[in-house]
């Protein structure tokens, strides 16, 4: 029975997640995709950007594995902000120590939880899929983007336009463009260099289908594109929901993401939340 299933809600720079401890044999079996899609609805249910199920693992030297779902019910390989939230959740619930490792579809992720609630995540090294892609839009506008994989695919566009309409319309256009169909579309990330060690960024997220307050893999993608263009890190990334710090090298051998992870509430899922 799903009735009264316990969850914890957390946020990483405004990116909200519902976390369920599914390690015990008695944890109920159900359609997790539909469950996540139902619970993530704002106003009609609990509301979140994604749902994480923590599971046991048999992999040596790994604390646990996760089963992650976007707000639309689709599975995601990786989510940097969710990784930070889950790492702190694991520490507070005696699932792992402050230094931990867990399995995702993108690979093994290592985390370090600081005493102040900040969490550093050692991301999978970025992959440069295409450095300069020209995407033609109706009306003659041309977008020159960088196509990256930072755990999930991102199309990164440097811009000075930050209106909500622009981010949504261009983000939706790039996210669904045929050029990126080999990765089931891509997240569309925007950035602008504001200072030698600081950029502004926002992401139209695949699976949420809108611009979110923060996207961890998007912050890494934006910082990576900036570094490939000549910026030197570590880089402070200003996202709509707060500040994230990204350290990435030009040779793309590593990427680290750091920022706060906060507890919002604990609760139980009522049956009517799924209606």
């Amino acid at each position: 029975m799903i009735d009264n299933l316990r969850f914890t809600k957390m946020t990483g720079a405004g990116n909200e997640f519902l976390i369920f401890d599914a390690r015990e044999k008695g944890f109920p079996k159900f359609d997790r995709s539909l469950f996540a899609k139902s619970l993530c609805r704002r106003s009609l249910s609990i509301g979140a950007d994604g749902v994480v199920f923590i599971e046991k693992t048999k992999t040596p030297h790994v604390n646990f594995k996760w089963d992650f779902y976007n707000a639309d019910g689709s599975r995601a390989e990786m989510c940097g902000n969710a990784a930070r939230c889950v790492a702190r959740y694991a520490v507070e619930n005696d699932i792992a120590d402050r230094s931990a490792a867990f399995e995702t579809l993108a690979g093994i992720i290592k985390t370090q939880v600081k005493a102040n609630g900040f969490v550093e995540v050692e991301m999978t090294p970025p992959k440069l899929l295409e450095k300069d892609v020209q995407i033609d839009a109706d009306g003659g506008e041309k977008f020159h983007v960088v196509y990256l994989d930072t755990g999930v695919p991102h199309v990164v566009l440097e811009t000075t336009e930050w209106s909500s309409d622009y981010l949504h319309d261009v983000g939706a256009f790039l996210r669904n463009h045929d050029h990126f169909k080999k990765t089931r579309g891509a997240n569309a990330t925007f950035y602008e260099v504001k200072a030698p060690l600081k950029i502004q960024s926002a992401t139209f997220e695949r699976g949420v289908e809108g611009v979110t307050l923060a996207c961890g893999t998007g912050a890494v993608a934006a910082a990576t594109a900036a570094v490939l263009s000549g910026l030197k890190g570590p880089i402070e990334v200003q996202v709509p929901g707060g500040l994230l710090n990204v350290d990435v090298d030009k040779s793309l051998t590593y990427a680290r993401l750091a920022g706060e992870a906060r507890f919002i509430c604990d609760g139980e899922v009522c049956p009517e939340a799924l209606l």
Side-chain angles (χ1 to χ4, degrees):
M1 295 290 290
I2 297 177
D3 297 8
N4 304 320
L5 201 61
R6 299 286 302 173
F7 71 90
T8 294
K9 187 171 186 177
M10 297 188 69
T11 180
N15 221 179
E16 298 175 299
F17 305 98
L18 306 178
I19 302 173
F20 293 85
D21 187 348
R23 292 174 300 151
E24 298 303 321
K25 289 184 178 180
F27 192 83
K29 295 182 179 180
F30 47 81
D31 185 334
R32 290 184 175 181
S33 174
L34 180 60
F35 181 78
K37 185 176 181 179
S38 297
L39 289 190
C40 286
R41 296 172 300 162
R42 302 188 188 280
S43 299
L44 294 174
S45 192
I46 301 170
D49 296 310
V51 175
V52 183
F53 298 93
I54 293 178
E55 301 179 332
K56 288 184 176 180
T57 179
K58 295 182 179 179
T59 302
H61 311 298
V62 174
N63 298 94
F64 58 90
K65 64 180 179 180
W66 81 2
D67 188 18
F68 181 89
Y69 294 85
N70 289 313
D72 68 352
S74 61
R75 298 183 81 182
E77 298 88 342
M78 176 53 184
C79 176
N81 286 327
R84 291 189 294 107
C85 290
V86 166
R88 189 171 178 213
Y89 174 93
V91 169
E92 298 294 337
N93 287 276
D94 298 322
I95 299 172
D97 296 327
R98 291 190 179 275
S99 295
F102 65 93
E103 289 182 78
T104 73
L105 293 178
I108 304 299
I109 302 300
K110 295 181 180 180
T111 60
Q112 179 71 44
V113 178
K114 310 296 184 180
N116 60 2
F118 271 57
V119 182
E120 182 178 277
V121 179
E122 185 176 323
M123 307 284 282
T124 55
K127 297 177 183 177
L128 179 60
L129 304 178
E130 293 182 73
K131 188 174 183 179
D132 186 6
V133 182
Q134 178 177 301
I135 303 297
D136 298 328
D138 295 338
E141 190 171 7
K142 301 180 187 300
F143 299 107
H144 290 271
V145 302
V146 180
Y147 190 18
L148 295 163
D149 189 316
T150 55
V152 290
H154 281 266
V155 179
V156 186
L157 174 67
E158 187 172 7
T159 185
T160 58
E161 173 61 69
W162 292 98
S163 72
S164 57
D165 287 344
Y166 179 85
L167 296 178
H168 183 275
D169 293 346
V170 176
F173 170 72
L174 293 174
R175 179 260 180 273
N176 293 293
H177 197 276
D178 284 346
H179 189 90
F180 312 111
K181 62 184 179 182
K182 66 181 180 182
T183 54
R184 296 185 295 110
N187 300 276
T189 290
F190 304 83
Y191 83 95
E192 179 181 4
V193 177
K194 307 298 285 187
L197 297 175
K198 185 174 182 177
I199 64 175
Q200 179 179 350
S201 181
T203 297
F204 184 100
E205 286 199 52
R206 182 183 69 173
V208 177
E209 306 311 325
V211 178
T212 56
L213 291 177
C215 176
T217 57
V220 173
T224 300
V227 166
L228 291 175
S229 296
L231 210 65
K232 294 184 179 179
I235 296 173
E236 185 177 76
V237 184
Q238 177 71 60
V239 296
L243 289 174
L244 297 171
N245 291 289
V246 177
D247 190 9
V248 60
D249 67 327
K250 194 170 184 178
S251 59
L252 307 186
T253 58
Y254 67 85
R256 300 183 185 93
L257 170 72
E260 68 168 8
R262 292 196 291 121
F263 287 93
I264 301 300
C265 66
D266 294 319
E268 295 182 350
V269 178
C270 297
E272 292 179 14
L274 303 174
L275 296 178

